């Protein structure tokens, strides 16, 4: 039995088979794509005395965790935004020298607040609250 005979025996056309195969396909227009929105229900704490979080002890440092980029700006403020680009969900990087988040996929840039500063992205990054208590940095929605 070849593929066509198999599909016919299942009562399915090739088009229907392709549609089912593509049900998990990712949208490419970036609209309402779960991967282009920030995670919800965020509430965790980083112990800055741990070596794994040492990047956040210095101005300009950053790390990726729980779908976010947590960074310490050049002026010493802690910020946190979603890690995925709002255009097509490519992973962003923090560029402290330029005070921005950058997407190498199509060149979108975002201010440290998460606001779009250069397209093609049109939607701001989800930004999260940060609160430093001693060496504990809380990040929350
Ligand atoms: S994925 Fe297109 S600009 Fe980021």
């Amino acid at each position: 039995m070849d593929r066509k005979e198999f599909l016919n025996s299942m009562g399915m056309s090739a088009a229907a088979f392709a549609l089912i195969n593509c049900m998990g396909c990712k949208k490419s227009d970036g609209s309402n794509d779960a991967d282009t929105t920030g995670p919800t229900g965020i509430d965790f704490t980083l112990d800055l005395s741990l070596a794994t979080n040492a990047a956040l002890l210095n101005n300009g440092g950053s790390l990726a965790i729980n779908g976010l980029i947590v960074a310490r700006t050049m002026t010493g403020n802690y910020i946190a935004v979603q890690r995925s680009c709002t255009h097509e969900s490519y992973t962003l990087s923090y560029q402290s020298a330029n005070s921005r988040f950058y997407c190498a996929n199509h060149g979108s840039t975002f201010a440290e607040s998460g606001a779009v500063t250069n397209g093609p992205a049109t939607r701001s990054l989800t930004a999260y609250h940060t609160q430093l208590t001693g060496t504990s940095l809380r990040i929350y929605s």
Side-chain angles (χ1 to χ4, degrees), residues 47-57 63:
D47 183 347
L48 301 186
S49 68
L50 297 178
T52 54
N53 301 324
L56 296 175
L57 294 177
L63 57 80

Side-chain angles (χ1 to χ4, degrees), residues 84-92 102-110 118-121:
S84 59
C85 183
T86 59
H87 180 229
E88 290 183 354
S89 75
Y90 195 81
T91 300
L92 301 172
Y102 173 69
C103 179
N105 201 21
H106 305 112
S108 287
T109 57
F110 303 86
N118 188 58

Side-chain angles (χ1 to χ4, degrees), residues 59-75:
N59 289 354
S62 66
L63 57 80
I65 185 167
N66 297 341
L68 312 184
I69 296 176
V70 180
R72 181 167 162 166
T73 68
M74 293 305 281
T75 55

